């Protein structure tokens, strides 16, 4: 696993890439028992890099909410 310093450097790099694309806000929800701060940082980097590389698909929901048309 990557240490804290490498995780922070990776987070800064992905943050710069997101800013270049005009992203101003990203939110995540984490289980408090999900692991160390370094593991969480590495997971965030992996997800965001996959998004930036076009390796993800949009999630349209499960169809269980009612929205006004």
């Amino acid at each position: 696993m990557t240490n804290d310093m490498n995780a922070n450097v990776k987070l800064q790099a992905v943050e710069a890439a997101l800013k270049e694309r005009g992203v101003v806000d990203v939110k995540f929800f984490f289980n408090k028992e999900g692991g160390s701060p370094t593991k969480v940082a590495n997971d965030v980097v992996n997800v965001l890099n996959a998004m930036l590389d076009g390796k993800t698909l949009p999630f349209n929901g499960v169809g269980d909410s009612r929205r006004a048309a």
Side-chain angles (χ1 to χ4, degrees):
M1 183 173 298
T2 308
N3 64 30
D4 289 342
M5 182 73 123
N6 288 339
N8 287 333
V9 168
K10 287 180 179 182
L11 279 173
Q12 290 170 351
V14 79
E15 178 183 15
L18 289 167
K19 284 183 179 179
E20 278 182 28
R21 293 178 184 211
V23 175
V24 294
D25 190 25
V26 176
K27 292 179 175 55
F28 286 90
F29 171 79
F30 295 99
N31 182 343
K32 290 182 181 181
E33 297 172 17
S36 70
T38 300
K39 181 184 180 321
V40 170
N42 285 319
D43 289 347
V44 168
V45 167
N46 290 336
V47 168
L48 293 175
N49 277 329
M51 292 173 69
L52 290 169
D53 292 340
K55 296 178 180 175
T56 59
L57 298 172
F59 177 69
N60 294 322
V62 293
D64 62 351
S65 64
R66 293 181 178 239
R67 296 185 179 144

